[in-house]
Amino acid sequence: MPAHVAESDSPPDPHDPLSHERAHLAASRAALRGMREDVQALDIRDVTANWVNAAVLQSQIDDRIKALADLSHTPLFFGRLDYLHAVGGELAEGADGERFYIGRRHVHDAAGDPMVIDWRAPVSQPYYQASRTNPRDVGLRRRFGYTGGELTAYEDEHLTDPAEAEHTSRLLQAEIERPRVGPMRDIVATIQPEQDEIVRSGLGGTVCVQGGPGTGKTAVGLHRVAYLLYAHRERLARTGTLVIGPNRSFLHYIEQVLPALGELEVKQATVDDLVRAGVEVRGEDEAATAVVKGDARMAEVLRRAVRSHVTAPVEPVVVVRGSRRWRVPAYEIQEMVDELLARDMRYGAAHEALPQRIAHAVLVRMEEAGEAPDDRVQNAVARNPAVKAAVKAIWPAVDPAKLVLRLLSDPEFLAAHAEGLLSEEEQKRLLWAKPARSVKTAKWSAADAVLIDEATDLIARTHSLGHVVLDEAQDLSPMQYRAVGRRCSTGSATVLGDLAQGTTPWSTESWAEALFHLGKADAVVEELTAGFRVPREVIAYASRLLPAISPGLAAVESVRESPGSLVVREVTDGADGLDAAVVAACEESLRHEGSIGLIAADARIPVLGAALAAAGHAYLSPGEETTAESRLTLVPASLAKGLEYDYVVLDEPAAVVDGEPDERTGLRRLYVALTRAVSGLTVLHAAPLPEALV
């Protein structure tokens, strides 16, 4: 059925469905204002016992006020469901012939009756899942079209009417193709059935989503967080949630999605942010060295190195209390040490347990002598200087950074703990040419910080969150997976990525391997193959690279036909001619509505920046928010992953490939760059195109 569009100059008509829907929108906005005003009017002076309780409660109220904000340019509801009758099931319970407006958040009137239903509520699920073959008791599904915050059109599907022909929703297509200006937006109005199933999967299990460019995997991951916070808010409020992205530019790009859905408490970080606590990263590894440092075998090397600090007792422990001397022989202490080692406890926990074990042995002797010691006596014995001295000698405290410093500086220490794990060549790659004199003067690399994080966890358990979303996961090393896995060891995760877009020398070859290192080997792997962002012509061109970069991986099938969306142009008048052609292509793209991304090899960025400036074009850097006035972003290929622009100009594909340490990584980087466009891609080259692309 065609969309019904409002005439801008027509007067309101009470019998016109669009007028009726606009009235409901206005009433819903008024109700939301009322909800917000009710919270703002709360007086907590008489309900808090002390200033701490008052501060906590006020913070909760402030968060509630923020969550109830009415975003004027964000539709309060985007759909409507008319149920036929209550069928007794969970989804339609209480929905006897009722009508539900589906939106980003729940809104109720002064009497408490719902005016807008949260998209995450069970009764809203048929909006995404109902079809003609399975209408799920829905008689009518209505989609709304908006211009800014104004409702301008609607479109109906009568799911149980056999006379109505099945059709593609024009409003849905228009929403998917709406120009991108500013940060990433939510896809709550356009979630597809296969995406919805992933979004609503339970909190208890980990889900891995393999999705090619434009399949919406990042949006699915973010909406899954929003859904889990809705369904398990109390539990996740205690345990916490975290979104992990590849870089700060990416996190800045996605940071407005969850607040738009009313979720303000989800933290965001990169893997580097997680592991750099107390470590200043000032160095950089060669690729081959970083690969070894990121290998899972390093976990066992570190484990051996930590446990090597435990030494056998050589003397008994003699505790003096008053006039009595209590002796615990060395062989008995060795039994305690062996038992703690066999339990494979955290090193620090065992360090704390050993003095208590020795003290307990002393208490047994006291009881055998007729005394009646209690826990206070045991704690006092554990703090006895003789016990503390013995523990310091047998099970000394270990500093994680000093341990890693020694491994990277001392060939004999490294060889002793890498024996049978790392080859001599690999050990040489790890050792610093000029060992640092101290932890503070060391030029730690990002991979070193991960090693220190692993060592830290061997000593004291890392705090685990309730749920972690890991995006662009294909680029992590095994040791980085372990670092993330520690943050959700007692929780669950949503892992998002595309094996074809792995652009690090250590990128994973399979999700089974990655999930094993993450500690989530039993995760369910889902694959998204329907593309909603990249035009069919563009994704087909980029997919020429798949046999070379990820054999066997299915190509994305784009649902978007956009003839003329791809232009590949050779420039024959040298480097200056290429620069001029790139500027001209950007100018041509700027004639269209939406955001423009100029993507180039990192080494070409200064040259192109100068060419744009000389032509009078201001440009943004990745992470800076595009606006209607500033729509052109100059993007190094190394930072393009996860970003999207309406129109992309890609400079010199061969330079993108050559900028990486090996051809496969370079072709994967090129695949990423080729798939950032939503409406049109212009490829300009002076050098021959990579053979895999021809």
Side-chain angles (χ1 to χ4, degrees), residues 451-514:
L451 296 179
I452 294 171
D453 189 72
E454 178 84 25
T456 301
D457 184 72
L458 288 167
I459 296 165
R461 183 182 297 277
T462 303
H463 173 67
S464 175
L465 299 166
H467 192 78
V468 169
V469 174
L470 175 61
D471 205 353
E472 301 294 351
Q474 73 282 343
D475 278 338
L476 270 61
S477 71
M479 292 298 286
Q480 287 176 317
Y481 283 122
R482 290 176 60 87
V484 174
R486 289 192 282 275
R487 271 75 183 179
C488 56
S489 59
T490 60
S492 57
T494 301
V495 180
L496 312 166
D498 179 12
L499 296 177
Q501 295 187 59
T503 52
T504 57
W506 49 82
S507 58
T508 188
E509 294 297 320
S510 75
W511 289 122
E513 177 187 348

Side-chain angles (χ1 to χ4, degrees), residues 536-545 566 568 674 683 689 693:
R536 185 174 300 172
E537 194 175 355
V538 174
I539 196 65
Y541 183 69
S543 295
R544 295 180 185 181
L545 298 173
L566 173 66
V568 180
L674 288 168
V683 179
L689 291 171
L693 196 59

Side-chain angles (χ1 to χ4, degrees), residues 52 104-105 512 551 567:
V52 175
R104 286 167 172 77
R105 58 157 303 105
V567 175

Side-chain angles (χ1 to χ4, degrees), residues 441-645:
T441 61
K443 291 187 177 181
W444 299 110
S445 68
D448 295 334
V450 178
L451 296 179
I452 294 171
D453 189 72
E454 178 84 25
T456 301
D457 184 72
L458 288 167
I459 296 165
R461 183 182 297 277
T462 303
H463 173 67
S464 175
L465 299 166
H467 192 78
V468 169
V469 174
L470 175 61
D471 205 353
E472 301 294 351
Q474 73 282 343
D475 278 338
L476 270 61
S477 71
M479 292 298 286
Q480 287 176 317
Y481 283 122
R482 290 176 60 87
V484 174
R486 289 192 282 275
R487 271 75 183 179
C488 56
S489 59
T490 60
S492 57
T494 301
V495 180
L496 312 166
D498 179 12
L499 296 177
Q501 295 187 59
T503 52
T504 57
W506 49 82
S507 58
T508 188
E509 294 297 320
S510 75
W511 289 122
E513 177 187 348
L515 293 167
F516 172 79
H517 294 308
L518 191 70
K520 305 292 182 183
D522 58 348
V524 175
V525 180
E526 303 281 359
E527 187 169 6
L528 298 175
T529 58
F532 303 98
R533 174 173 59 79
V534 185
R536 185 174 300 172
E537 194 175 355
V538 174
I539 196 65
Y541 183 69
S543 295
R544 295 180 185 181
L545 298 173
L546 286 179
I549 62 177
S550 195
L553 195 66
V556 172
E557 294 291 334
S558 178
V559 301
R560 294 187 54 211
E561 292 189 30
S562 183
S565 55
L566 173 66
V567 175
V568 180
R569 186 181 304 150
E570 182 177 8
V571 180
T572 58
D573 48 352
D576 291 340
L578 179 60
D579 297 346
V582 167
V583 172
C586 290
E587 292 171 343
E588 183 179 346
S589 297
L590 284 166
R591 298 190 186 103
H592 300 284
E593 186 180 4
S595 58
I596 315 299
L598 169 54
I599 304 178
D602 291 28
R604 289 270 295 157
I605 293 299
V607 174
L608 294 177
L612 289 172
H617 296 293
Y619 58 88
L620 305 170
S621 298
E624 294 182 319
E625 189 171 320
T626 54
T627 65
E629 293 74 30
S630 301
R631 298 185 291 127
L632 174 61
T633 303
L634 180 57
V635 186
S638 62
L639 296 181
K641 190 173 296 180
L643 307 179
E644 60 182 25
Y645 302 92

Side-chain angles (χ1 to χ4, degrees), residues 137-218:
D137 200 46
V138 174
L140 179 141
R141 173 168 53 201
R142 175 170 287 181
R143 302 181 191 276
F144 296 106
Y146 286 82
T147 301
E150 182 183 359
L151 197 162
T152 54
Y154 71 91
E155 187 178 68
D156 289 343
E157 291 177 88
H158 297 87
L159 298 180
T160 57
D161 184 357
E164 183 176 293
E166 193 165 357
H167 66 282
T168 300
S169 169
R170 289 172 53 194
L171 291 180
L172 182 64
Q173 193 73 15
E175 174 62 21
I176 291 172
E177 297 177 3
R178 184 158 55 95
R180 271 89 173 143
V181 174
M184 180 180 178
R185 57 177 182 261
D186 65 73
I187 62 163
V188 65
T190 63
I191 294 173
Q192 300 301 296
E194 64 271 22
Q195 296 173 327
D196 184 67
E197 290 177 3
I198 297 172
V199 166
R200 295 177 192 265
S201 53
L203 176 62
T206 289
V207 178
C208 174
V209 183
Q210 158 64 38
T215 55
K217 57 185 177 295
T218 295

Side-chain angles (χ1 to χ4, degrees), residues 15 34 41 77 84 86 134 163 183 205 212 236 265 269 311 412 497 507 572 592 641:
H15 302 292
F77 57 79
L84 296 172
N134 183 17
L236 289 177
E265 298 302 316
T311 58
E412 293 182 2
S507 58
T572 58
H592 300 284
K641 190 173 296 180

